[in-house]
Amino acid sequence: MNRSKNTSFADRLSAAADAKKAQLERAARARSAAESPAAVEQRTAREAVRVARDARIAERKATKLAIEARQAAALAAAQAAETAAREVALKAEQEARDAEFTERTAREAADEAERQAARDARYAARKARKRKGK
């Protein structure tokens, strides 16, 4: 299995040159195989598959973004409608409170006017009694 350990310098140089020559031949064969029409066609087919896959991925992403945009728009519209409804309800509640306050104020003013009229009537009756008695 092992070669003899007594190899001469010339044998080693020859073996190195043979190895280098074999390596160059393998590289030349690989280069010619890579430049062959079948290999070029195979690379072109792989590139076409890659481009088609990238296009499908981009289309899926665009569809997903469009769906998300529609959902976001619907959510924003719902929130805007809810906010508007809440504002309308608050405004109606405030107007009801204002109307109640105005009504209460008017009622209190009417009650005060009645009391004033009753008091004035008592004063007038008292004065009339005093005049009648004299």
Side-chain angles (χ1 to χ4, degrees):
M1 296 274 198
N2 285 341
R3 288 190 180 184
S4 164
K5 301 239 179 203
N6 293 331
T7 55
S8 68
F9 183 68
D11 290 339
R12 287 183 299 196
L13 280 179
S14 171
D18 289 343
K20 188 171 185 180
K21 182 178 175 185
Q23 187 178 16
L24 288 173
E25 286 175 5
R26 280 194 306 271
R29 271 184 285 165
R31 191 176 312 117
S32 68
E35 294 172 356
S36 72
V40 170
E41 184 178 323
Q42 194 175 27
R43 276 195 305 270
T44 305
R46 271 194 236 124
E47 181 67 19
V49 168
R50 186 187 62 78
V51 168
R53 180 178 53 240
D54 290 347
R56 287 191 309 271
I57 289 171
E59 183 179 344
R60 280 194 300 264
K61 284 182 180 178
T63 304
K64 184 178 179 182
L65 288 175
I67 290 171
E68 288 175 357
R70 268 188 260 123
Q71 289 174 344
L75 179 63
Q79 288 176 346
E82 182 181 330
T83 302
R86 195 177 311 124
E87 288 176 3
V88 167
L90 288 174
K91 187 174 181 182
E93 185 179 320
Q94 181 65 34
E95 288 176 358
R97 273 189 261 137
D98 290 346
E100 181 183 333
F101 177 75
T102 304
E103 181 183 322
R104 188 172 12 139
T105 305
R107 196 174 1 156
E108 288 173 0
D111 290 346
E112 183 65 28
E114 280 181 32
R115 285 194 299 271
Q116 183 84 20
R119 190 179 70 207
D120 289 347
R122 284 193 313 267
Y123 288 160
R126 190 179 328 144
K127 281 197 171 218
R129 280 193 311 259
K130 282 187 180 179
R131 285 191 198 140
K132 190 177 178 187
K134 285 193 177 183

Coordinates of all heavy atoms in Angstrom, one line a residue, residues 69-126:
A69 N -54.6 46.2 3.9 CA -55.0 47.6 3.8 C -56.5 47.7 3.8 O -57.1 48.7 4.5 CB -54.5 48.1 2.5
R70 N -57.3 46.8 3.2 CA -58.7 46.8 3.2 C -59.2 46.6 4.6 O -60.1 47.3 5.1 CB -59.3 45.7 2.3 CG -59.6 46.2 0.9 CD -60.3 45.2 0.1 NE -59.4 44.6 -0.8 CZ -59.1 43.3 -0.8 NH1 -59.8 42.4 -0.1 NH2 -58.2 42.8 -1.6
Q71 N -58.6 45.7 5.4 CA -59.0 45.5 6.7 C -58.8 46.7 7.6 O -59.6 47.1 8.5 CB -58.3 44.3 7.3 CG -58.8 42.9 6.7 CD -58.0 41.8 7.2 OE1 -56.9 41.9 7.7 NE2 -58.5 40.5 7.0
A72 N -57.6 47.3 7.4 CA -57.3 48.5 8.2 C -58.2 49.7 7.9 O -58.7 50.4 8.8 CB -55.8 49.0 7.9
A73 N -58.6 49.8 6.6 CA -59.6 50.8 6.2 C -60.9 50.6 6.8 O -61.6 51.5 7.3 CB -59.7 50.9 4.7
A74 N -61.4 49.3 6.8 CA -62.6 49.0 7.4 C -62.6 49.2 8.9 O -63.6 49.7 9.5 CB -63.0 47.5 7.1
L75 N -61.5 48.9 9.6 CA -61.4 49.1 11.0 C -61.4 50.6 11.3 O -62.1 51.0 12.2 CB -60.1 48.4 11.5 CG -59.8 48.6 13.0 CD1 -60.9 47.9 13.8 CD2 -58.5 48.1 13.4
A76 N -60.7 51.4 10.5 CA -60.7 52.8 10.7 C -62.1 53.4 10.5 O -62.5 54.3 11.3 CB -59.7 53.4 9.7
A77 N -62.8 52.9 9.5 CA -64.1 53.4 9.2 C -65.1 53.1 10.4 O -65.9 53.9 10.8 CB -64.7 52.8 7.9
A78 N -64.9 51.8 10.9 CA -65.8 51.4 12.0 C -65.5 52.3 13.3 O -66.4 52.7 14.0 CB -65.5 49.9 12.3
Q79 N -64.2 52.5 13.5 CA -63.8 53.3 14.7 C -64.3 54.7 14.5 O -64.7 55.4 15.5 CB -62.3 53.3 14.8 CG -61.8 52.0 15.4 CD -60.2 51.9 15.5 OE1 -59.6 52.8 14.9 NE2 -59.7 51.0 16.2
A80 N -64.2 55.3 13.3 CA -64.7 56.6 13.0 C -66.2 56.7 13.3 O -66.7 57.6 13.9 CB -64.3 57.1 11.6
A81 N -66.9 55.7 12.8 CA -68.4 55.7 13.0 C -68.7 55.6 14.5 O -69.6 56.2 15.0 CB -69.0 54.5 12.2
E82 N -68.0 54.7 15.2 CA -68.2 54.5 16.6 C -67.9 55.8 17.3 O -68.7 56.3 18.2 CB -67.3 53.4 17.1 CG -67.5 53.1 18.6 CD -66.6 52.0 19.1 OE1 -66.3 51.2 18.3 OE2 -66.2 52.1 20.3
T83 N -66.9 56.5 17.0 CA -66.5 57.8 17.6 C -67.6 58.8 17.3 O -68.0 59.6 18.2 CB -65.1 58.3 17.1 OG1 -64.2 57.3 17.4 CG2 -64.7 59.6 17.7
A84 N -68.0 58.9 16.1 CA -69.1 59.8 15.7 C -70.4 59.6 16.5 O -71.0 60.5 17.0 CB -69.3 59.8 14.2
A85 N -70.7 58.3 16.6 CA -71.9 57.9 17.3 C -71.8 58.3 18.8 O -72.7 58.8 19.4 CB -72.2 56.4 17.2
R86 N -70.6 58.1 19.4 CA -70.4 58.4 20.8 C -70.5 59.9 21.0 O -71.1 60.4 21.9 CB -69.0 57.9 21.2 CG -68.8 57.9 22.7 CD -67.4 57.3 23.1 NE -67.1 56.1 22.5 CZ -66.0 55.8 21.8 NH1 -65.1 56.8 21.6 NH2 -65.8 54.7 21.2
E87 N -69.9 60.7 20.0 CA -70.0 62.1 20.1 C -71.4 62.6 20.0 O -71.8 63.5 20.7 CB -69.1 62.8 19.0 CG -67.6 62.7 19.3 CD -66.8 63.2 18.1 OE1 -67.4 63.8 17.2 OE2 -65.6 63.1 18.2
V88 N -72.2 62.0 19.1 CA -73.6 62.4 18.9 C -74.4 62.1 20.2 O -75.2 62.9 20.7 CB -74.2 61.7 17.7 CG1 -75.8 61.8 17.7 CG2 -73.7 62.2 16.4
A89 N -74.1 60.9 20.8 CA -74.8 60.5 22.1 C -74.4 61.5 23.2 O -75.3 61.9 24.0 CB -74.4 59.1 22.4
L90 N -73.1 61.9 23.3 CA -72.7 62.8 24.3 C -73.3 64.2 24.1 O -73.8 64.8 25.1 CB -71.2 62.9 24.3 CG -70.4 61.7 24.9 CD1 -68.9 61.9 24.7 CD2 -70.7 61.5 26.3
K91 N -73.4 64.6 22.8 CA -74.0 65.9 22.5 C -75.5 65.9 22.9 O -76.0 66.9 23.5 CB -73.9 66.2 21.1 CG -74.3 67.6 20.7 CD -74.0 67.9 19.3 CE -74.4 69.3 18.9 NZ -74.1 69.7 17.5
A92 N -76.2 64.8 22.6 CA -77.6 64.7 22.9 C -77.8 64.7 24.4 O -78.7 65.3 24.9 CB -78.2 63.4 22.3
E93 N -77.0 64.0 25.1 CA -77.0 63.9 26.6 C -76.8 65.3 27.2 O -77.5 65.7 28.1 CB -76.0 62.9 27.1 CG -76.0 62.7 28.6 CD -75.0 61.7 29.0 OE1 -74.8 60.7 28.3 OE2 -74.4 62.0 30.1
Q94 N -75.8 66.0 26.6 CA -75.5 67.4 27.1 C -76.7 68.3 26.8 O -77.1 69.1 27.7 CB -74.3 67.9 26.4 CG -73.9 69.3 26.9 CD -73.5 69.4 28.4 OE1 -72.9 68.4 28.9 NE2 -73.8 70.4 29.0
E95 N -77.3 68.2 25.7 CA -78.5 69.0 25.3 C -79.7 68.7 26.3 O -80.4 69.6 26.7 CB -78.9 68.8 23.9 CG -77.9 69.5 22.9 CD -78.3 69.2 21.4 OE1 -79.2 68.4 21.2 OE2 -77.6 69.7 20.6
A96 N -79.8 67.4 26.6 CA -80.9 67.0 27.5 C -80.7 67.6 28.9 O -81.6 68.1 29.5 CB -81.0 65.5 27.6
R97 N -79.4 67.6 29.4 CA -79.1 68.2 30.6 C -79.3 69.7 30.6 O -79.8 70.3 31.6 CB -77.6 67.9 31.0 CG -77.5 66.6 31.7 CD -76.1 66.4 32.3 NE -75.4 65.5 31.3 CZ -74.2 65.7 30.8 NH1 -73.4 66.7 31.3 NH2 -73.6 64.9 30.0
D98 N -78.9 70.3 29.5 CA -79.1 71.8 29.4 C -80.6 72.1 29.4 O -81.0 73.1 30.0 CB -78.5 72.3 28.1 CG -77.0 72.3 28.2 OD1 -76.4 72.1 29.3 OD2 -76.3 72.4 27.1
A99 N -81.4 71.3 28.7 CA -82.9 71.5 28.6 C -83.5 71.4 30.0 O -84.3 72.2 30.5 CB -83.5 70.6 27.6
E100 N -83.0 70.3 30.7 CA -83.5 70.1 32.1 C -83.2 71.2 33.0 O -84.0 71.7 33.8 CB -82.9 68.8 32.6 CG -83.4 68.4 34.0 CD -82.7 67.1 34.5 OE1 -82.3 66.3 33.7 OE2 -82.6 67.0 35.8
F101 N -81.9 71.7 32.9 CA -81.5 72.9 33.7 C -82.3 74.1 33.4 O -82.8 74.8 34.3 CB -80.0 73.1 33.5 CG -79.5 74.3 34.2 CD1 -79.2 74.2 35.6 CD2 -79.3 75.5 33.6 CE1 -78.8 75.3 36.3 CE2 -78.8 76.6 34.3 CZ -78.6 76.5 35.6
T102 N -82.6 74.3 32.1 CA -83.4 75.5 31.7 C -84.8 75.4 32.3 O -85.4 76.3 32.8 CB -83.4 75.6 30.2 OG1 -82.1 75.7 29.7 CG2 -84.2 76.9 29.8
E103 N -85.4 74.2 32.2 CA -86.7 73.9 32.7 C -86.8 74.1 34.2 O -87.7 74.8 34.7 CB -87.1 72.5 32.3 CG -88.5 72.1 32.8 CD -88.9 70.7 32.4 OE1 -88.5 70.2 31.3 OE2 -89.5 70.1 33.2
R104 N -85.8 73.6 34.9 CA -85.8 73.7 36.4 C -85.6 75.2 36.8 O -86.3 75.7 37.7 CB -84.6 72.9 36.9 CG -84.6 72.9 38.4 CD -83.6 71.9 39.0 NE -82.7 71.5 37.9 CZ -81.4 71.4 38.1 NH1 -80.8 71.6 39.2 NH2 -80.6 71.0 37.0
T105 N -84.8 75.9 36.0 CA -84.6 77.3 36.3 C -85.9 78.1 36.1 O -86.3 79.0 36.9 CB -83.5 77.9 35.4 OG1 -82.3 77.1 35.6 CG2 -83.2 79.4 35.8
A106 N -86.6 77.8 35.0 CA -87.8 78.5 34.7 C -88.9 78.1 35.8 O -89.7 79.0 36.2 CB -88.3 78.0 33.3
R107 N -88.9 76.9 36.2 CA -89.9 76.4 37.2 C -89.6 77.2 38.6 O -90.5 77.6 39.2 CB -89.8 74.9 37.4 CG -91.0 74.3 38.2 CD -90.9 72.8 38.2 NE -89.7 72.5 37.5 CZ -88.9 71.4 37.6 NH1 -89.3 70.5 38.3 NH2 -87.8 71.2 36.9
E108 N -88.3 77.2 38.9 CA -88.0 77.9 40.1 C -88.3 79.4 40.1 O -88.8 80.0 41.0 CB -86.5 77.8 40.4 CG -86.1 76.4 40.9 CD -84.6 76.2 41.0 OE1 -83.8 77.1 40.7 OE2 -84.2 75.1 41.4
A109 N -88.1 80.0 38.9 CA -88.5 81.4 38.7 C -90.0 81.6 38.8 O -90.5 82.6 39.4 CB -88.0 81.9 37.3
A110 N -90.8 80.7 38.2 CA -92.2 80.7 38.3 C -92.7 80.6 39.8 O -93.6 81.3 40.2 CB -92.8 79.7 37.4
D111 N -92.0 79.6 40.5 CA -92.4 79.4 41.9 C -92.1 80.7 42.7 O -92.9 81.1 43.6 CB -91.6 78.2 42.5 CG -92.1 76.9 42.0 OD1 -93.2 76.9 41.4 OD2 -91.4 75.9 42.2
E112 N -90.9 81.3 42.4 CA -90.5 82.5 43.1 C -91.5 83.6 42.8 O -91.9 84.4 43.7 CB -89.1 82.9 42.7 CG -88.6 84.2 43.4 CD -88.4 83.9 44.9 OE1 -88.1 82.8 45.3 OE2 -88.5 84.9 45.6
A113 N -92.0 83.7 41.6 CA -92.9 84.8 41.2 C -94.3 84.5 41.9 O -94.9 85.5 42.4 CB -93.1 84.7 39.7
E114 N -94.7 83.3 42.1 CA -95.9 82.9 42.8 C -95.8 83.3 44.3 O -96.7 83.9 44.8 CB -96.2 81.4 42.7 CG -96.9 81.0 41.4 CD -97.2 79.5 41.5 OE1 -97.5 79.0 42.6 OE2 -97.1 78.9 40.4
R115 N -94.7 83.0 44.9 CA -94.5 83.4 46.3 C -94.5 84.9 46.4 O -95.0 85.4 47.4 CB -93.1 82.8 46.8 CG -93.2 81.3 47.0 CD -92.0 80.8 47.9 NE -90.7 81.0 47.2 CZ -90.2 80.2 46.4 NH1 -90.8 79.0 46.1 NH2 -89.0 80.4 45.8
Q116 N -93.8 85.6 45.5 CA -93.8 87.1 45.5 C -95.2 87.6 45.4 O -95.6 88.5 46.1 CB -92.9 87.6 44.4 CG -92.7 89.1 44.4 CD -91.6 89.5 45.3 OE1 -90.7 88.7 45.6 NE2 -91.7 90.8 45.7
A117 N -96.0 87.0 44.5 CA -97.4 87.5 44.3 C -98.2 87.3 45.5 O -99.0 88.1 46.0 CB -98.0 86.8 43.1
A118 N -98.0 86.1 46.2 CA -98.8 85.8 47.4 C -98.4 86.7 48.5 O -99.2 87.2 49.2 CB -98.5 84.3 47.8
R119 N -97.1 87.0 48.6 CA -96.6 87.9 49.7 C -97.2 89.3 49.4 O -97.7 90.0 50.3 CB -95.1 88.0 49.7 CG -94.5 88.7 50.9 CD -93.0 88.7 50.9 NE -92.6 89.5 49.8 CZ -91.4 89.4 49.1 NH1 -90.6 88.5 49.4 NH2 -91.1 90.2 48.2
D120 N -97.1 89.7 48.1 CA -97.7 91.1 47.8 C -99.2 91.1 48.1 O -99.7 92.1 48.6 CB -97.4 91.4 46.4 CG -95.9 91.7 46.1 OD1 -95.2 91.9 47.1 OD2 -95.5 91.7 44.9
A121 N -99.9 90.0 47.9 CA -101.3 90.0 48.1 C -101.5 90.1 49.6 O -102.5 90.8 50.1 CB -101.9 88.7 47.6
R122 N -100.7 89.4 50.4 CA -100.9 89.5 51.9 C -100.6 90.9 52.4 O -101.4 91.4 53.2 CB -99.9 88.5 52.6 CG -100.4 87.1 52.5 CD -99.6 86.2 53.5 NE -98.1 86.4 53.4 CZ -97.3 85.7 52.7 NH1 -97.7 84.8 51.9 NH2 -96.0 85.9 52.7
Y123 N -99.6 91.5 51.9 CA -99.3 92.9 52.3 C -100.4 93.8 51.9 O -100.8 94.7 52.7 CB -98.0 93.4 51.6 CG -96.7 92.8 52.1 CD1 -95.6 92.9 51.4 CD2 -96.7 92.2 53.4 CE1 -94.4 92.3 51.9 CE2 -95.5 91.7 53.9 CZ -94.4 91.7 53.1 OH -93.2 91.2 53.6
A124 N -101.0 93.6 50.7 CA -102.1 94.5 50.2 C -103.3 94.3 51.1 O -104.0 95.2 51.4 CB -102.4 94.2 48.7
A125 N -103.6 93.0 51.5 CA -104.7 92.7 52.3 C -104.5 93.3 53.7 O -105.5 93.9 54.3 CB -104.9 91.2 52.4
R126 N -103.3 93.3 54.2 CA -103.1 93.8 55.5 C -103.3 95.3 55.5 O -103.9 95.9 56.4 CB -101.7 93.5 55.9 CG -101.4 93.9 57.4 CD -100.0 93.6 57.9 NE -99.4 92.4 57.3 CZ -98.1 92.3 57.0 NH1 -97.3 93.2 57.3 NH2 -97.7 91.2 56.5

